[in-house]
Every structure is written in structure tokens, then in C-alpha cells.
Amino acid sequence: MSSIPFVTLDAPRYGAAVRVSPLVRRVIAENPSKFTYFGTGTYIIGSGDVAVIDPGPILDGHRDALAAALEGERVTAILITHCHSDHSPLAAWLRESSGAPTIAFGPHAIIASDDDDEGEGAELEPGMTLEETTDTGFVPDVRVADGDIAAAGTGWTMRAVHTPGHTSNHMCYALEEERSLFTGDHVMGWSTTVVSPPDGDMRDYIDSLRKVIARNDASLWPTHGAPVTDPQPFLAAFLEHRLEREAQVLAAVRSGQSAIPGMVEQMYADVRPELHKAAGRSVLSHLIKLVDDREITVEGHGKSARYLPT
């Protein structure tokens, strides 16, 4: 597989609002895990009238740190990239305390599936994980579409960039004055992002990667991990990784592997067996795309599905 130039983040100063650019401060929640790296990075844009991106999980320490960082400021917008439990839940407190509206593409899509819990909370391969829980109660006050100005203040403008794939409602936000993009979990500085059906969609994810590549932003600010200050080679490696994985899945089917467990065993031979069920979610996302592309066919559905060459 191609090598992605992941960026190392120094151990954070929990509880502190650290200025990371002329217009941006970051407060990292103390929720380190295999899902979050060192923790959720909440961003504060501007001064005076400010926007907050991804307030984060419900943790007393993080809430208090944000309250201290926002003292004397007026929060005018609360921007949410998507509704996983390490991104959006604290928005309810911030909305109530500040009066600012929550802004997002929309709530998390509720899609019925026989396999919704399969692989949840597990690591797929080194640096690739599935989210633990979803904030299904979050509904934004304001829904924004791709290209809309999501929020603006003195000297700063945030534009919405819809990037479905990780979730169908995933939204990045571009800070136009610094040519920077806040990428949520679409592109992370420390790992690849899992794309798990039914809400995750590999075709959308690959298209969204190409969309971000075409933007040619000067920097990327993920919710987890360090900033990416040279985005083009970084994003190119992300895209190549996905396309190589897709080629592996197609080759496995053409070699006679017809069921996901066999493909996982072949493709993830260096991953602990107890994680193979979770790895199947990633393989499934590629298989769905390959069926749609008519590269393979499928007989049956769910766990009894069999994938065959065309």
C-alpha cells in the first residue's frame, strides 16, 4: 500500500486555547483514544464575534476550557462537521449558553441495516478506526449547502464545503482569508478515515477527496491530529491508498474470493484476527462501489451475499 505522510502532533496542552494561526485558536479535549488520537480539536475562529467548529464531547473539563477561552467573546455561529459523539454533543451547551445557532449540513441520516453494529468501535488496521457512537439527537438550527457562506465576522468568512463519504452529512468549512480548510474526519492528520456503510459511502468519499484536491487549499485543519501544511501530496497519497485498496478487493473477487470473510483474511493477513469482522466494513464499502461500477456482480444480500466477477 502507498505510504501516507502522516503528521505527528506534539502532546497537547489540555485546557488551553492555543493560537495556531492569526485567525484561529484551538482547544483540544482530553478524550484521547484510538478514535480521536490525542483528542477532539475544537477551533475558535476570529475574535470579538467568533465561530466555533466542533465543540466536541460532553466533558466537564473541555466545557470549562471552552468557557474560559470564549470569555469576553460573542459566539455567533457553532459549526458542526458531522454528528459523531466526539464532535457535536457539546454544541447543545454552547448554544444554550451563547444563544448562537448551530449550523451543519443536516442531522445524521438514520438508515436501517441488518449490520449496523458490525465492527463498531474497532480498529480496522493500524491508524484506521470506526467511530464509537453517533449523536442522533443533533439537529442544526441552520442547514447549509455546499458553497454557502456558513458564518462570517470581522476579518473572517467560513464557507461550507460538503464532503460526504465518512458520513453522508459530513461538511468541511473553508476559512477564506487564510485559504485553510477545516476537514473534520474527512481528512485527518494522523490516520485514514473509515468509510462504513450504510451511511458511509466509498464513491462519495473518493469524489470528496478529489473535490478537496481540486480546491488547492494552503492548509488543512483536521479535528484530530496536526495541521497538514502541504496538502497536495498528502491528499494524493490518501486517494492512492483508497484506489489501491479498491484494486485489492477487485483482485480478490477475480481470484475466486466470493465472500467478505475470505477477502478480509487475504487482504488483512497482518491484522489481528479479532479485528477482521471490523475490516469487513471497509471491504463492504469497496464492494458496493464495484457492484455499482459493474466491475463485479452480487448474489444474495447481507451476510449471505456472494460477489462474483462480471
Side-chain angles (χ1 to χ4, degrees), residues 1 93 163 236 240 251 304:
M1 297 294 290
W93 159 79
T163 50
E240 185 178 359
S304 64

Side-chain angles (χ1 to χ4, degrees), residues 70-262:
L70 294 169
E71 187 174 357
E73 312 273 23
R74 187 170 77 94
V75 180
T76 60
I78 304 165
L79 307 177
I80 304 299
T81 61
H82 66 296
C83 304
H84 281 148
S85 59
D86 54 320
H87 290 253
S88 57
L90 205 58
W93 159 79
L94 186 56
R95 176 182 183 271
E96 182 178 357
S97 62
S98 69
T102 55
I103 300 168
F105 180 81
H108 188 80
I110 306 301
I111 303 173
S113 170
D114 293 337
D115 301 322
D116 276 346
D117 63 343
E118 191 170 308
E120 186 173 321
E123 188 177 53
L124 297 184
E125 56 186 82
M128 181 185 285
T129 54
L130 286 172
E131 298 291 340
E132 289 182 282
T133 58
T134 300
D135 182 11
T136 55
F138 174 80
V139 178
D141 297 313
V142 179
R143 300 190 185 197
V144 288
D146 183 60
D148 288 350
I149 293 178
T154 302
W156 58 268
T157 309
M158 303 298 299
R159 192 172 296 275
V161 181
H162 187 212
T163 50
H166 176 59
T167 62
S168 59
N169 71 336
H170 196 286
M171 186 74 83
C172 297
Y173 297 97
L175 176 55
E176 296 193 338
E177 288 76 7
E178 293 188 352
R179 289 186 53 232
S180 58
L181 186 68
F182 294 81
T183 57
D185 282 358
H186 178 59
V187 176
M188 296 191 290
W190 72 289
S191 77
T192 54
T193 299
V194 73
V195 179
S196 178
D199 190 45
D201 185 285
M202 187 59 71
R203 182 183 306 282
D204 284 348
Y205 186 79
I206 290 173
D207 288 347
S208 293
L209 274 180
R210 288 181 168 136
K211 178 180 183 176
V212 172
I213 289 170
R215 288 181 48 82
N216 198 29
D217 295 290
S219 59
L220 308 178
W221 290 96
T223 300
H224 307 292
V228 178
T229 56
D230 191 9
Q232 287 301 310
F234 192 88
L235 291 168
F238 257 70
L239 178 59
E240 185 178 359
H241 172 86
R242 293 296 180 180
L243 298 178
E244 287 179 354
R245 186 64 81 193
E246 180 177 296
Q248 285 185 336
V249 174
L250 180 58
V253 174
R254 288 175 173 171
S255 72
Q257 296 286 356
S258 61
I260 290 176

Side-chain angles (χ1 to χ4, degrees), residues 263-285:
M263 297 178 208
V264 170
E265 186 175 349
Q266 176 178 317
M267 293 168 54
Y268 292 83
D270 58 344
V271 175
R272 299 193 308 276
E274 61 266 28
L275 300 179
H276 282 190
K277 184 176 179 180
R281 302 303 298 170
S282 182
V283 171
L284 175 60
S285 66

